Amino acid sequence: MKTYIIRRLLLMPLTLLGVTFLVFCITRFVPGGPIEQMMQQQSMSALSGQKAGSQRGDNNLSEADMERLEEQYSLQEPIVTAYLQWLGVLPKKISISREEFGIITGEEPADREDEYAGISDTHTKINLNETGEQVVVVRPDKDSKEVKDAFFSGTPSRKAATEGWTVEVESPMDRAERWARRMRQTGNEGAIQDKAKGYAWRAVMYKTSFDGLLQGTMGNSFKYNEPVWDMIKERIPVSLYFGILSAIITYSVCIPLGIVKAIRHKSVVDNISSVLIFLGYSVPGFALGAVLVVYLGARLEWFPLCGLTSADFADMGFWEQAADLLHHTVLPLICYVVSSFAITTMMMKNNLMDNLSSDYVRTAMAKGVSFKGAVIKHAFRNSFIPIASTLGSLISLIVAGSMLMEKVFDIQGFGMLSYQALMDKDYALIMGTLLLTSFLMVLGNLLSDIIVAAVDPRIKFE
């Protein structure tokens, strides 16, 4: 058993790597990412006559803005490199500054601080966004990508490399190819060549930093501009609250009910309960939620329409808060548990009926064991094995919550967060929610195996 658990634990990282890498690749190929969204917002602003959010005052997203978005989410990098940066295995480029090679205007000869001032095709000055300082970047000739020297303006002995800066030179073709990847025009050689004619050589400076999953960060949400992990931590308690309550209610009601139905098969209690639980099973939880909100919430005003607490919740006393939370919990909780009642109850009933008709139960009763003892001590344990195999998956269900239920009742839980991430094409948030859900699912499967082995002595993991 110990060897099996260790082997499964060692396989968990490989499974998570495969799942996250697959979804990471999909997010890169699906349209509608941060750049497309920003361009759409600019277009909508232009159509509505509103001023776009750029300092230029026009309605176009500048190429510099697009490049900043690309660098924020490593969209300019190859997929494998970007994924390894998300993991924290490779460093990311940070504090990126750039400037084209060109004439530095506004300087009189007497004000020139070094021999490179004013030379257009072999040097440029980069204003560092991080510190506001200027760095002179020099190359051997006008068609070279090699960096001859890079030093801080006014102090040639103060080299940029010694302070952790990396300097690169981009050719017009490099910039055109990056544009083609951004605009999905990589196969249009003519457009790339035409675009390259409008670009100049450019110097780029940046630092590198490991900032990924292994360093404990998942990046920032594009939509909300908040750390992904902080958003997940804020939503998990809500889903845990409903998940744990629904699990307790479901198993504490359905298992005894399934035992009663098996013992009193075809009785009035069995028939009436079967009608009720299958009626609940036939109605989707989100549809029942909509009906309850309309009739019990809007028309009769017995329950609140949405949310988990009232607006003045913080000003209430302890017991008032508890009553308010319970008042908001009733309708969503009904919708959470109604569909799971039928599955758990009928699984318990059918398994118990099969075991009650087995030879070992009849043999136990023939030896003097009471019917109640035969049910509880013998048949129930074997009947519980199929249900025990699903207990591990409760972890992922409890944490992930139900997106549809949270949507109907406007509850800001983890399920709703995952849905919003998908709808917004929020890459960092998608990867964060996926990682947590996948981890809980893999862990739940392992726990299911352990629980089954604990309940069923016939199961041996060697």
Side-chain angles (χ1 to χ4, degrees):
M1 186 67 175
K2 184 184 297 185
T3 304
Y4 173 78
I5 294 176
I6 294 175
R7 187 165 61 249
R8 288 288 299 271
L9 290 174
L10 292 176
L11 287 174
M12 286 176 61
L14 297 178
T15 304
L16 294 176
L17 285 174
V19 172
T20 54
F21 180 69
L22 178 62
V23 176
F24 190 88
C25 294
I26 293 175
T27 59
R28 287 301 187 268
F29 289 110
V30 173
I35 294 179
E36 289 88 345
Q37 291 185 46
M38 289 294 293
M39 295 177 67
Q40 185 178 13
Q41 291 175 8
Q42 295 286 343
S43 300
M44 294 299 293
S45 298
L47 291 175
S48 61
Q50 297 177 357
K51 186 177 181 180
S54 64
Q55 297 179 352
R56 300 181 317 279
D58 57 25
N59 289 306
N60 295 317
L61 189 66
S62 69
E63 186 164 355
D65 295 332
M66 295 183 188
E67 289 180 343
R68 280 192 291 269
L69 282 174
E70 286 180 338
E71 291 154 1
Q72 182 178 355
Y73 299 100
S74 301
L75 299 178
Q76 83 282 9
E77 303 287 354
I79 291 179
V80 175
T81 301
Y83 177 72
L84 293 177
Q85 289 177 344
W86 177 78
L87 286 178
V89 177
L90 293 180
K92 292 182 179 180
K93 296 178 180 179
I94 61 172
S95 304
I96 303 176
S97 303
R98 53 178 62 84
E99 186 61 59
E100 293 182 349
F101 286 91
I103 298 176
I104 303 176
T105 58
E107 292 186 352
E108 296 297 329
D111 299 327
R112 292 179 180 176
E113 60 189 17
D114 55 65
E115 60 179 311
Y116 296 111
I119 303 176
S120 63
D121 55 1
T122 60
H123 88 279
T124 186
K125 282 187 177 181
I126 299 179
N127 293 313
L128 299 180
N129 298 326
E130 186 180 62
T131 62
E133 297 178 284
Q134 286 189 330
V135 175
V136 178
V137 178
V138 184
R139 55 180 181 159
D141 56 72
K142 65 178 183 179
D143 295 321
S144 175
K145 296 181 67 173
E146 178 186 352
V147 177
K148 180 180 178 181
D149 197 5
F151 56 88
F152 283 85
S153 181
T155 54
S157 60
R158 185 185 170 195
K159 305 299 182 182
T162 60
E163 299 191 13
W165 292 96
T166 301
V167 185
E168 296 178 350
V169 176
E170 292 180 342
S171 68
M173 185 56 67
D174 293 335
R175 299 177 64 182
E177 290 174 351
R178 179 172 176 175
W179 168 85
R181 290 192 298 270
R182 180 190 312 129
M183 307 305 295
R184 304 182 189 276
Q185 298 286 331
T186 52
N188 193 340
E189 293 294 336
I192 296 175
Q193 294 290 340
D194 292 339
K195 195 70 177 178
K197 296 177 182 178
Y199 286 126
W201 288 81
R202 183 171 67 176
V204 181
M205 287 186 62
Y206 59 87
K207 288 184 176 180
T208 58
S209 173
F210 289 91
D211 185 26
L213 187 63
L214 296 179
Q215 288 74 41
T217 60
M218 297 182 181
N220 289 347
S221 166
F222 164 73
K223 182 74 173 181
Y224 305 99
N225 197 27
E226 296 180 15
V228 170
W229 180 237
D230 290 347
M231 297 180 66
I232 292 176
K233 288 192 298 183
E234 182 181 350
R235 302 294 185 93
I236 282 181
V238 178
S239 296
L240 280 176
Y241 172 70
F242 282 103
I244 293 174
L245 277 181
S246 61
I248 292 174
I249 293 174
T250 298
Y251 284 94
S252 61
V253 172
C254 294
I255 290 178
L257 180 60
I259 295 174
V260 172
K261 287 172 64 64
I263 296 175
R264 300 185 179 182
H265 182 53
K266 293 186 178 180
S267 65
V268 176
V269 174
D270 181 35
N271 293 333
I272 293 177
S273 60
S274 295
V275 172
L276 292 178
I277 62 176
F278 279 110
L279 181 63
Y281 181 72
S282 63
V283 180
F286 65 90
L288 177 62
V291 173
L292 294 178
V293 167
V294 171
Y295 286 96
L296 300 185
R299 295 189 178 181
L300 298 178
E301 297 183 354
W302 289 355
F303 297 96
L305 296 177
C306 60
L308 190 56
T309 57
S310 300
D312 57 344
F313 183 80
D315 300 328
M316 299 179 182
F318 175 77
W319 294 110
E320 291 178 336
Q321 288 182 341
D324 181 72
L325 182 61
L326 180 62
H327 194 209
H328 284 78
T329 301
V330 173
L331 295 186
L333 191 59
I334 291 174
C335 300
Y336 264 93
V337 302
V338 67
S339 60
S340 60
F341 265 34
I343 298 175
T344 308
T345 303
M346 297 310 296
M347 184 182 296
M348 187 73 244
K349 175 191 174 182
N350 294 335
N351 293 333
L352 186 57
M353 288 182 63
D354 290 340
N355 284 284
L356 287 175
S357 61
S358 301
D359 293 337
Y360 73 91
V361 175
R362 288 196 296 267
T363 301
M365 294 180 64
K367 290 182 177 182
V369 179
S370 65
F371 180 73
K372 180 179 179 180
V375 171
I376 301 300
K377 295 181 180 180
H378 297 278
F380 173 74
R381 182 173 181 178
N382 290 332
S383 303
F384 187 72
I385 293 174
I387 297 178
S389 64
T390 65
L391 291 178
S393 61
L394 280 177
I395 296 179
S396 59
L397 295 176
I398 287 174
V399 176
S402 174
M403 178 271 294
L404 292 175
M405 239 68 75
E406 292 175 1
K407 180 73 173 177
V408 170
F409 292 98
D410 192 23
I411 298 172
Q412 301 302 313
F414 185 80
M416 191 66 177
L417 181 66
S418 303
Y419 171 76
Q420 291 171 340
L422 289 172
M423 292 298 100
D424 296 334
K425 304 293 193 305
D426 197 331
Y427 294 159
L429 196 53
I430 289 174
M431 294 303 298
T433 55
L434 169 77
L435 177 65
L436 180 59
T437 304
S438 302
F439 171 75
L440 293 175
M441 186 173 296
V442 174
L443 181 62
N445 291 334
L446 175 59
L447 291 178
S448 294
D449 292 342
I450 296 174
I451 293 172
V452 170
V455 175
D456 190 352
R458 298 171 298 179
I459 303 296
K460 300 293 182 182
F461 295 109
E462 298 296 340

